[in-house]
Amino acid sequence: MICPFCLKDAPAGFPQCPNCQAPVDRSVTPPPSGVFRRIMALFFDILIPAILFAGLYVPLMFLLSQDQAMILMAVPGGVLLLFTLLQLILLFSSGQTIGKKLMGIKIIKTDYEKAGFGTLLMREIVGRLVCGLTLNIGYLMILFNPERRGLHDKIAGTIVVKKLRAQAAAAAAPETAPAPTFEPAAAPPPRPEPMTPPVNITPLAPIPVPV
């Protein structure tokens, strides 16, 4: 099961998440991510490589001559390629890109287990291809269902969730009956001391002493 607080895998049988030490409760699940978080994650996934490309291309444009045009395109392009590979490794190993990590959201299976490589491949290749064939209408399905699942999510059996705050988890957790209190038992009354019968002492007769 996915821990609702850190969105990392919490193996079954553990009373606490090994990553964030939060108590594992199967009845508490991470909520679906809203549209705004998903858009912001996509924004960061586009913004970061754009900054990297501009940060390398603009200085090299002034430093290199026209004869070195291949270097001008090769260096920023190589960095973008490495960034893309990093994104793919993060996505298919953890269900998160850099943008999703920044926004605290993650792709998991609908049974709240970690999404494997095959599931993510189905979502990102087949699911997005079908969404493209529907003129991106499949993405608009996110707006019209409470789980915020697009067509690519439904094809792969996935859901995008966000981290759960501790306050929300406490409110969602079922109330437990208070533990019974035990009052100390009263001390037994003291036992009465046994009464001894009175002893009659008779005086002894005086003994005559010869003079």
Side-chain angles (χ1 to χ4, degrees):
M1 177 181 175
I2 295 296
C3 174
F5 301 101
C6 65
L7 298 184
K8 294 184 179 180
D9 191 24
F14 281 74
Q16 290 181 331
C17 173
N19 303 290
C20 66
Q21 304 303 318
V24 176
D25 188 352
R26 297 287 171 178
S27 63
V28 180
T29 56
S33 171
V35 178
F36 176 75
R37 284 178 179 267
R38 297 176 73 164
I39 293 176
M40 289 303 299
L42 178 61
F43 172 75
F44 283 122
D45 286 335
I46 296 174
L47 178 65
I48 294 174
I51 292 176
L52 290 175
F53 185 87
L56 292 172
Y57 183 85
V58 174
L60 290 175
M61 185 174 58
F62 291 100
L63 294 175
L64 300 176
S65 63
Q66 295 182 354
D67 298 335
Q68 298 173 317
M70 291 297 296
I71 299 177
L72 180 63
M73 296 302 299
V75 174
V79 172
L80 287 183
L81 179 60
L82 292 176
F83 180 83
T84 303
L85 291 176
L86 175 63
Q87 288 279 69
L88 291 175
I89 292 172
L90 290 174
L91 176 62
F92 287 106
S93 62
S94 65
Q96 290 178 298
T97 60
I98 294 177
K100 286 181 171 60
K101 285 182 178 291
L102 292 175
M103 295 306 301
I105 62 177
K106 183 174 183 175
I107 305 168
I108 63 173
K109 295 168 66 175
T110 52
D111 57 358
Y112 299 100
E113 296 291 340
K114 180 180 178 181
F117 179 81
T119 301
L120 293 170
L121 192 66
M122 176 70 71
R123 180 184 189 270
E124 298 301 322
I125 303 299
V126 180
R128 292 192 184 279
L129 178 61
V130 174
C131 287
L133 294 176
T134 61
L135 301 178
N136 295 329
I137 295 177
Y139 295 116
L140 297 180
M141 293 175 59
I142 298 173
L143 302 173
F144 303 105
N145 63 88
E147 293 183 339
R148 303 302 180 195
R149 297 175 65 200
L151 181 59
H152 56 312
D153 288 311
K154 292 183 178 294
I155 291 174
T158 58
I159 182 174
V160 181
V161 296
K162 64 180 180 179
K163 291 182 180 180
L164 184 66
R165 295 182 179 180
Q167 294 85 351
E175 296 183 359
T176 57
T181 57
F182 299 95
E183 297 182 357
R191 293 183 178 180
E193 296 181 358
M195 299 181 63
T196 56
V199 179
N200 294 327
I201 301 175
T202 55
L204 299 175
I207 301 174
V209 178
V211 179

